[in-house]
Each structure stands twice: as structure tokens, then as C-alpha cells.
């Protein structure tokens, strides 16, 4: 059976359906429901819900410790299901906790910042960094466009960068397939590609409900692609190696989706230069990012060329064992520095 959410509800007023989703006998036969909320909109949503028998837990940090503690509470309370309401941090914590407790989880996203809403991965902080941890994906996803619109527009635009970066991730996966014989799942590739292509050429913006709906569905589809693949491979390649390196070295430089888009564009530039990839395709990704006000140059996220070069050098170490264009080329730091300078000149035009 194909792993996928039980239901996906993306529209204005969708939050009103949460009560009926949680009342579904396939999710909770006795009605013992927990709700995990993050700061901000999550608490307001929980207060507005007509769920008299649920218990609300507040998620203050996106750490392994916080997720483990919530998992213990869910297990000891014998809850049948949990709803995670909030942004990516809250949903990642709740996915981990639900997996630990062995109960189903409903994701209620208040922004569209990245594809973690329905992915089988939680990115949680601990003393060793911020690893991606395998978890069970949600069985239902609720995205209320009214709440998405109330979130900072930068968070919505961030999701665009994360979805479009699928194009680069797929190229890396297929490169590893050709070079190393790594198995490539065609269905996972299709899901991830459809999600990216649906956004790439759209002329409208985050001001449009139609665009937000397609973006939300694309983020969910990316999560499904990862579930089918059994890893983050169809949505995470050199693009995400670079974003994780930047985040480790310069934590204040851009958010997840912004850095994923920037990493994807730089990786695509390397493919044009070294693998004969299509310059037109590079231009399509660049134009999409610019159209939605996303970074395309290191300086757009507050980095100079030397800082970005060091991040690219560090990038392969963030995902040991993953083969991308960076591992394939195995450029020296000096060669990477030259490529970054050429990238800035070419893309800056």
C-alpha cells in the first residue's frame, strides 16, 4: 500500500475540519486526543477548537529532548492520536513524539515554510547539530490558508525555495544512480518533480489562494516522495548539504527554504559548467527564485564569497554517505572559490 496521508485538506477555513478529522474512528476509537502547539498561532488555534476532551501540550523548543519528553507524555497518557499545530519546529517535534509513542499524528500547518509538514523526517536540534531523523509521516494534513496568510510572507516564500530545490535533488540522485548504481525510485522522482514543476513556471504569487494551494500540495507531495523513497533523497541533495553547512557556520544567514533555493541554484550552475546541463534550465530556476523575492546570491543572505566558499567546502560533511554533484566533482577549496566567484558574476547578471 502506498504510504500517504489519510487526508489532505487545503483551503480557507480548513481548520474547522480538524475536529471531524480527529473524531474519525480510524484515528481514535475512544477519543483520547492530545494536541501539541507551538508559540503564536498554534495556541490560538487550540483555544478556538471545540475539542473538550483533548489535552494541550506546548512545544517551546525544536530539540530532541523536547520531542522525547513529549513522546513520554503521550505514551504515559495512553493517547490514541496527537495533532501538531504550528510551524515546522512544532510539527517535527510532534512527529517524533508520535512515532515514539506509537500513535497516529495529524499535522496542522500554520505556514508553508518547507516540506516537513508531511515528510517522514524530523529535523531536531541536539548538542551534535540538527540531524534529520526518520519518523512516521502524518496520516492527515490540514492547511488553513487563512492562517497561512496571517504568517510572515517570508515564511510562505521560503516554501517555494524548498519545493523548487527538488529539481536539483533529483539530478543528484540520478547522478548517483548513473555513477554508483544507487537505486532510484521512479515514483518518488515523479512525485518530487511534479511538486517542483507545478511551482516553477506559475506567473502568480503568494498573494493568490490558487498559488498557495498548489504550493501546499507541492510541499505535501514532496513529503510523500520521501516516504516512497524511504529517505529524503528525492528532495535533498547538494542543495540541502549547502543549506545545512551555512546553518552550522552562520546560523543567522537565511532560513531553510531560502538556503535550499540558493543551494539548488549554485549546484545547478556547477552542472552547467561541468556536466553540460542546460543553461535554460538554470535560468528557469533563477527566474523563479527572483520572481518570488528569494535569494540567488550569497550576499542576499548576508554572506560574502569567502564565507559561502567555506560553506560549500563543509557541505559534504553534513550528509556523510550521500553522493551529489559536490562529491562527484570533489573540487578543491581553491577551485570552489573560483566557481563561487564565477557563479556570482553569471547569476548576478
Amino acid at each position: 500500500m502506498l504510504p500517504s496521508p489519510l487526508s489532505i485538506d487545503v483551503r480557507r477555513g480548513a481548520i474547522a475540519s480538524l475536529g471531524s478529522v480527529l473524531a474519525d474512528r480510524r484515528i481514535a476509537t475512544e477519543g483520547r486526543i492530545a494536541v501539541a502547539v507551538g508559540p503564536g498561532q498554534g495556541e490560538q488555534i487550540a483555544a478556538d477548537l471545540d475539542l473538550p476532551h483533548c489535552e494541550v501540550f506546548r512545544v517551546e523548543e525544536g530539540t530532541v529532548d523536547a520531542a522525547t519528553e513529549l513522546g513520554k507524555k503521550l505514551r504515559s497518557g495512553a493517547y490514541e492520536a496527537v495533532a501538531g499545530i504550528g510551524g515546522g519546529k512544532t510539527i517535527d517535534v510532534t512527529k517524533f513524539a508520535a512515532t515514539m509513542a506509537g500513535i497516529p499524528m495529524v499535522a496542522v500547518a500554520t505556514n508553508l515554510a518547507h516540506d516537513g509538514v508531511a515528510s517522514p523526517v524530523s529535523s531536531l536540534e541536539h548538542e551534535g547539530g540538527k540531524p534529520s531523523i526518520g519518523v512516521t509521516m502524518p496520516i492527515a494534513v490540514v492547511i488553513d490558508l487563512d492562517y497561512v496568510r496571517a504568517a510572515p510572507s517570508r515564511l510562505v516564500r521560503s516554501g517555494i525555495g524548498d519545493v523548487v530545490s527538488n529539481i536539483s535533488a533529483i539530478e543528484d540522485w540520478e547522478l548517483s544512480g548513473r555513477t554508483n548504481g544507487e537505486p532510484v525510485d521512479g515514483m518518488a522522482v515523479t512525485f518530487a518533480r511534479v511538486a517542483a514543476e507545478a511551482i516553477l513556471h506559475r506567473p502568480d504569487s503568494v498573494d493568490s489562494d490558487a498559488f498557495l494551494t498548489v504550493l501546499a500540495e507541492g510541499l505535501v507531495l514532496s513529503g510523500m516522495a520521501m516516504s516512497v523513497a524511504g529517505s529524503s533523497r528525492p528532495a535533498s541533495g547538494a542543495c540541502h548539504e549547502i543549506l545545512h553547512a551555512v546553518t552550522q557556520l552562520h546560523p543567522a544567514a537565511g532560513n531553510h527554504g531560502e538556503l535550499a533555493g540558493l543551494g539548488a541554484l549554485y549546484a545547478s550552475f556547477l552542472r552547467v559548467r561541468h556536466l553540460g546541463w542546460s543553461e535554460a534550465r538554470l535560468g528557469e530556476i533563477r527566474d523563479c527564485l527572483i520572481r518570488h523575492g528569494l535569494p540567488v546570491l550569497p550576499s542576499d543572505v548576508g554572506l560574502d564569497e569567502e564565507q559561502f566558499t567555506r560553506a560549500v567546502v563543509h557541505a559534504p560533511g553534513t550528509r556523510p554517505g550521500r553522493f551529489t554533484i559536490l562529491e562527484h566533482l570533489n573540487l578543491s577549496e581553491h577551485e570552489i572559490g573560483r566557481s563561487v566567484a564565477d557563479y556570482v558574476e553569471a547569476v548576478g547578471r
Side-chain angles (χ1 to χ4, degrees), residues 24-283:
D24 191 317
R25 292 285 181 174
R26 293 171 294 177
I27 297 176
T29 57
E30 302 295 331
R32 287 190 54 78
I33 303 296
V35 174
V37 299
Q41 288 184 324
E43 294 194 28
Q44 183 59 52
I45 294 171
D48 292 341
L49 290 175
D50 183 21
L51 294 171
H53 302 300
C54 78
E55 185 167 357
V56 176
F57 298 96
R58 281 164 177 78
V59 176
E60 302 295 341
E61 299 177 327
T63 64
V64 172
D65 288 344
T68 301
E69 183 63 26
L70 178 59
K72 291 177 181 177
K73 292 177 181 177
L74 296 179
R75 190 163 54 192
S76 64
Y79 296 101
E80 296 177 279
V82 59
I85 305 176
K89 176 176 69 175
T90 304
I91 289 176
D92 277 354
V93 165
T94 309
K95 283 191 293 185
F96 181 97
T99 301
M100 179 178 168
I103 61 175
M105 181 260 189
V106 176
V108 184
T110 56
N111 65 55
L112 300 177
H114 58 76
D115 59 17
V117 61
S119 74
V121 172
S122 284
S123 184
L124 300 171
E125 299 174 6
H126 66 59
E127 61 276 5
K130 194 174 182 181
S132 295
I133 303 168
V135 295
T136 302
M137 69 185 297
I139 62 168
V141 175
V142 176
I143 301 174
D144 192 319
L145 297 184
D146 289 322
Y147 286 95
V148 169
R149 286 194 170 282
S153 62
R154 181 186 177 194
L155 293 181
V156 181
R157 296 196 305 272
S158 172
I160 297 169
D162 207 15
V163 169
V164 170
S165 75
N166 288 1
I167 296 170
S168 177
I170 291 167
E171 290 293 329
D172 282 331
W173 197 10
E174 293 180 337
L175 173 64
S176 183
R178 294 191 301 270
T179 305
N180 301 326
E182 179 181 349
V184 178
D185 189 293
M187 182 173 290
V189 166
T190 298
F191 283 0
R193 195 188 306 280
V194 168
E197 296 288 349
I199 290 295
L200 190 62
H201 299 293
R202 284 191 69 98
D204 49 352
S205 71
V206 296
D207 296 326
S208 159
D209 277 5
F211 182 90
L212 290 178
T213 299
V214 171
L215 176 58
E217 291 171 346
L219 292 169
V220 172
L221 198 57
S222 291
M224 293 172 66
M226 289 185 265
S227 181
V228 170
S231 75
S232 61
R233 201 54 158 124
S236 174
C239 50
H240 281 61
E241 289 182 331
I242 292 170
L243 90 80
H244 290 304
V246 171
T247 299
Q248 290 175 15
L249 298 175
H250 307 282
N255 62 33
H256 181 101
E258 291 172 339
L259 296 175
L262 174 60
L265 191 60
Y266 173 71
S268 298
F269 173 80
L270 292 180
R271 292 187 192 94
V272 171
R273 166 165 287 195
H274 296 280
L275 301 183
W277 208 55
S278 168
E279 288 192 26
R281 193 62 163 163
L282 174 69

